[in-house]
Amino acid sequence: MAAGADLGAHSLSNADLLNADLTGANLHGLAMRHALLTNADLRNADLRNTDLAEAALTGANLTHANLTNAYLRGAFLRTADLTRAELSGANLSNADLTGANLTGVIALPGRTQGNLPYSVILSGANLNVAVLTLAHLEHADLHNANLATANLREANLRKANLVNARLAHANLVGANLSGADLTGATLDHADLVDVTWSEQTRWPQDLAAVMRERSVPIGGGQWQVQGSGNSGAGLEFPLVPVS
């Protein structure tokens, strides 16, 4: 298939596009459920409003792809490259993004779900070992997501929903958690150095006082975590969140 292809309104559900070159392709609004896109080249592809539910995108290159309002529930995106992809309004609930590269992804708020604003839905998604450095995930829905060992260095997670998220061993150095809800989240051995948080940030039960002890006020109702090492560094007792 030629790069930059315009596939019009055709359905590609269950299509075999293994290793396909879809660079810059216009796939806007297509039905691509269960499509086989393993190792496909989708750089700069237009996937706005595309239905990719349970599609196989393992190893796919989605660099700079536009996935605005795309539906990727249950999609397989292991080791996929989503560097600087546009994910505003996308639904990736229960998607498998193990080892995926989401460096600099952009998910802008402005949508509502149950009267609550959100930018991208990643609830229940598996982001184990995923790279999300410099990701723009303000208002992202990440509740019940597996972010264990994920790299979230300098990620913007302002007002993100991280309820019951698994963040054990995650790298959150320099991340912005202002207004984020981490109720019930697991932060064992997470690196929280230089994390910015606010009075509106909800930490796991019994963790708020510990975080305040490790932080210094930086103005505007915000705090910054000090110290070095993991979430228990500099404390006389290990930091174990109570759910």
Side-chain angles (χ1 to χ4, degrees):
M1 194 170 294
D6 186 342
L7 301 179
H10 297 163
S11 171
L12 291 173
S13 291
N14 300 302
D16 185 349
L17 294 163
L18 179 70
N19 298 315
D21 182 359
L22 294 164
T23 309
N26 180 7
L27 302 165
H28 180 197
L30 291 187
M32 299 183 74
R33 288 188 166 225
H34 305 284
L36 177 60
L37 289 152
T38 301
N39 295 323
D41 191 343
L42 289 152
R43 286 173 296 164
N44 299 301
D46 184 353
L47 292 155
R48 291 171 298 154
N49 300 299
T50 301
D51 186 350
L52 287 156
E54 298 184 5
L57 288 148
T58 299
N61 188 343
L62 290 148
T63 303
H64 290 284
N66 189 342
L67 289 149
T68 301
N69 296 325
Y71 189 70
L72 292 126
R73 182 179 177 84
F76 300 92
L77 289 144
R78 282 178 170 250
T79 67
D81 189 351
L82 291 100
T83 301
R84 300 195 182 284
E86 170 66 65
L87 295 175
S88 300
N91 186 336
L92 291 108
S93 55
N94 298 315
D96 187 352
L97 291 129
T98 302
N101 186 354
L102 291 92
T103 301
V105 294
I106 300 171
L108 302 177
R111 295 152 182 82
T112 58
Q113 178 177 243
N115 295 322
L116 295 175
Y118 77 95
S119 58
V120 60
I121 299 174
L122 287 156
S123 55
N126 186 358
L127 289 149
N128 183 43
V129 200
V131 178
L132 295 111
T133 52
L134 299 171
H136 297 271
L137 294 168
E138 184 174 349
H139 279 291
D141 182 358
L142 286 152
H143 81 271
N144 293 321
N146 179 10
L147 288 152
T149 323
N151 187 348
L152 291 147
R153 192 181 186 96
E154 297 184 32
N156 180 1
L157 292 159
R158 291 183 66 251
K159 300 182 181 178
N161 180 356
L162 289 155
V163 172
N164 295 325
R166 283 168 280 172
L167 288 152
H169 297 277
N171 180 354
L172 285 151
V173 173
N176 190 339
L177 290 169
S178 299
D181 189 348
L182 293 106
T183 305
T186 303
L187 286 158
D188 301 51
H189 304 291
D191 194 339
L192 302 170
V193 174
D194 292 332
V195 162
T196 299
W197 57 280
S198 67
E199 300 289 352
Q200 290 73 42
T201 300
R202 296 182 183 178
W203 293 103
Q205 185 180 353
D206 295 338
L207 189 55
V210 175
M211 295 313 302
R212 192 178 293 270
E213 179 183 337
R214 280 195 60 188
S215 306
V216 295
I218 57 175
Q222 292 189 314
W223 297 70
Q224 188 172 63
V225 180
Q226 303 295 291
S228 60
N230 63 40
S231 55
L235 302 178
E236 295 179 0
F237 50 90
L239 182 59
V240 181
V242 180
S243 57

